[in-house]
Amino acid sequence: MKNIYLLGATGSIGRQTLEIVDKYPSEFKVVTLSARTRMEDLIQLIEKYNPKFCSVQFKKDADHLTDRFPDIVFGYGKTSLIHAATFQPKDRDGVLINALVGIAGLQPTVEAIKIKRNVLLANKETLVVGGSLVMELAKENQVEIFPIDSEHSAIWQCMQNGKKEEVSKVIITASGGAFRNKSFEELKNVTKADALKHPNWTMGEKITIDSATMMNKGFEVMEAIHLFGLLPTQIETVIHPESIIHSMVEYIDHSIIAQISSHDMRLPIQYAMFYPNRKESIVESIDFAKLSSLHFETMKEEKYPCFRLAMEAIQSGHSMPCVLNAANEAAVDLFLKEKIEFLEISNIIETEMKKHQVISNPSLEDLLRIDLEVKENIYHNH
Ligand code: NAD
Ligand code: MG
């Protein structure tokens, strides 16, 4: 039985992770849980999984839960997320499943690596902001970082068909998000409700907006560079509206291996949870006769300024991806609060990136400081 330390339990990835636990109850024990504010949902999870420790955002919620569940320890705020990630520090067989959204996921990942705990990582902002630092730390501590994302799980699976040095390139697919069929001009008038209608996936609000702007694809290129040690020039992106091929790896002999499955996150989650084994899954099998055709389109950078900015942040490297991420988090938040228009998201990010003086090899403290400064500046101006 494997112990699970689960951050972001009430979110889209968190809930689907628990579905896998429910399918294989004798394989996993949920030891810690975190939820920011959805207390009713958390209470249900506590009753079902009986964890030892839970992290919430506010003291009043922690106090209330302590009264209700006296045998369980509750913590609140940032430090409690780290505590949940590193609970029972001598348990080296347990895994951190990081399904938080935003930079909040970075420190808990770092601290779990320091106690030599393997990390199943959905929280993409961890690698976007601190990719070099996190991967180096993982290497030093001989810790594995297993991706939970359809694209990176696909690359991971395809990579097992040859040697690392035989890989020539990786082709990351993109559904095209909510606005695939709209022109750049038409994007001027889109609303929050339009942007939240993703054609293929039901996900948290932030990543759904990141998919509409294509920032998500930019983030995924960054993650692939760090996870698989690739050069930026080895990564191509292609729009594939059906989201059936989740990514591909081309080898030096020009043989391309693709990973194909339904668009259902429970497959990449389960793959990471059971790796190196495969298990029966609740995910539907693909019926090719019903599919009949698959489509591919080139990615037009002029239509997706956020994707272009992500590529520029890769070129600059060092502290620039942190600025990109911080500005994106703040801008997406403002868009979700209906304080700015859709196309202002990329303008805000570009302004912050232009202002930034790149810091070489930023430390964790540098990254957290830059994140705060960028966000404060944006909120101050809006
Ligand atoms: P979500 O918004 O549905 O859930 C986020 C979870 O994190 C919730 O439990 C919430 O309470 C918690 N949380 C959010 N901000 C927090 C903070 N500041 N402090 C503490 N807790 C906080 O998000 P999601 O869609 O599940 O995405 C989680 C991560 O996985 C993101 O990084 C996302 O990009 C990535 N991801 C998601 C999907 C998907 O299908 N949903 C696919 C691939 C990758
Ligand atoms: Mg993805």
Side-chain angles (χ1 to χ4, degrees):
M1 181 172 284
K2 198 185 268 183
N3 285 335
I4 288 185
Y5 304 84
L6 176 60
L7 302 186
T10 50
S12 161
I13 295 290
R15 280 181 279 117
Q16 294 179 85
T17 299
L18 293 170
E19 281 185 52
I20 311 296
V21 172
D22 293 346
K23 178 159 167 72
Y24 292 101
S26 60
E27 304 263 6
F28 302 104
K29 164 76 188 124
V30 178
V31 183
T32 63
L33 288 172
S34 97
R36 186 161 55 159
T37 46
R38 293 185 201 147
M39 289 307 115
E40 285 312 309
D41 292 0
L42 180 62
I43 287 168
Q44 282 183 9
L45 298 182
I46 292 170
E47 283 167 348
K48 187 162 176 187
Y49 299 104
N50 190 28
K52 293 185 178 165
F53 177 82
C54 290
S55 153
V56 295
Q57 185 163 23
F58 299 114
K59 182 173 186 303
K60 68 170 175 30
D61 290 326
D63 289 345
H64 169 77
L65 289 164
T66 306
D67 290 342
R68 181 151 175 186
F69 301 101
D71 296 337
I72 298 173
V73 183
F74 293 90
Y76 61 93
K78 262 186 168 182
T79 48
S80 75
L81 280 177
I82 295 172
H83 195 56
T86 57
F87 196 79
Q88 299 181 164
K90 294 214 157 33
D91 174 17
R92 302 269 159 83
D93 299 327
V95 292
L96 165 63
I97 303 189
N98 188 339
L100 294 172
V101 62
I103 195 174
L106 176 59
Q107 263 180 302
T109 307
V110 166
E111 296 303 323
I113 295 172
K114 285 187 188 160
I115 60 151
K116 302 189 191 299
R117 177 164 288 162
N118 287 344
V119 182
L120 277 49
L121 191 61
N123 177 256
K124 55 185 66 200
E125 295 86 354
T126 287
L127 290 181
V128 169
V129 176
S132 306
L133 187 146
V134 167
M135 295 313 290
E136 265 169 43
L137 198 62
K139 202 170 154 196
E140 242 170 64
N141 286 284
Q142 294 172 318
V143 158
E144 304 274 12
I145 311 276
F146 293 150
I148 294 188
D149 201 345
S150 54
E151 294 78 1
H152 304 94
S153 181
I155 298 168
W156 182 20
Q157 294 177 57
C158 296
M159 287 266 189
Q160 289 163 46
N161 288 273
K163 299 192 189 87
K164 169 83 205 315
E165 58 274 21
E166 293 166 349
V167 170
S168 61
K169 69 177 179 192
V170 161
I171 303 150
I172 297 184
T173 55
S175 68
F179 302 137
R180 186 176 62 84
N181 295 321
K182 286 202 188 305
S183 67
F184 186 73
E185 276 300 299
E186 287 171 313
L187 293 181
K188 280 186 183 144
N189 304 317
V190 295
T191 64
K192 169 184 166 182
D194 297 331
L196 285 175
K197 273 183 224 139
H198 195 286
N200 300 343
W201 303 91
T202 308
M203 312 181 282
E205 286 194 337
K206 195 237 170 199
I207 185 178
T208 308
I209 303 302
D210 286 345
S211 301
T213 62
M214 282 286 182
M215 181 59 92
N216 184 51
K217 217 38 63 178
F219 283 175
E220 290 179 354
V221 171
M222 292 181 176
E223 291 177 271
I225 290 171
H226 292 299
L227 284 165
F228 304 107
L230 297 165
L231 296 169
T233 48
Q234 284 180 292
I235 304 178
E236 263 178 37
T237 42
V238 64
I239 293 189
H240 164 46
E242 290 87 1
S243 296
I244 292 297
I245 299 181
H246 296 292
S247 281
M248 300 175 251
V249 172
E250 184 176 286
Y251 287 90
I252 45 177
D253 59 359
H254 295 176
S255 175
I256 297 179
I257 311 288
Q259 190 268 331
I260 299 178
S261 57
S262 308
H263 36 80
D264 188 324
M265 280 306 294
R266 292 172 301 181
L267 186 59
I269 296 172
Q270 163 171 330
Y271 186 76
M273 287 169 83
F274 283 110
Y275 179 81
N277 303 313
R278 289 190 185 267
K279 291 272 181 185
E280 266 184 41
S281 109
I282 26 191
V283 174
E284 258 181 52
S285 162
I286 298 251
D287 181 345
F288 277 88
K290 277 195 193 144
L291 259 183
S292 78
S293 58
L294 296 176
H295 297 84
F296 303 93
E297 295 164 20
T298 48
M299 174 93 132
K300 296 191 190 80
E301 279 196 21
E302 60 281 12
K303 186 174 154 187
Y304 299 112
C306 283
F307 182 78
R308 171 180 56 79
L309 291 168
M311 296 307 108
E312 287 175 17
I314 292 173
Q315 286 302 321
S316 308
H318 301 285
S319 55
M320 194 57 97
C322 176
V323 175
L324 174 93
N325 180 72
N328 183 60
E329 282 190 31
V332 170
D333 179 51
L334 289 169
F335 176 71
L336 285 169
K337 290 179 176 144
E338 299 182 302
K339 291 192 174 157
I340 61 167
E341 305 283 317
F342 185 74
L343 288 180
E344 281 181 81
I345 297 176
S346 57
N347 292 339
I348 288 175
I349 301 167
E350 187 149 26
T351 305
E352 293 300 318
M353 284 173 66
K354 279 197 176 134
K355 270 197 325 223
H356 181 64
Q357 299 271 342
V358 173
I359 299 175
S360 298
N361 303 316
S363 64
L364 182 64
E365 292 68 33
D366 290 330
L367 295 171
L368 297 175
R369 179 179 44 77
I370 293 168
D371 177 75
L372 273 185
E373 283 170 6
V374 169
K375 285 175 179 166
E376 268 173 18
N377 187 40
I378 294 172
Y379 286 119
H380 180 74
N381 293 325
H382 289 84

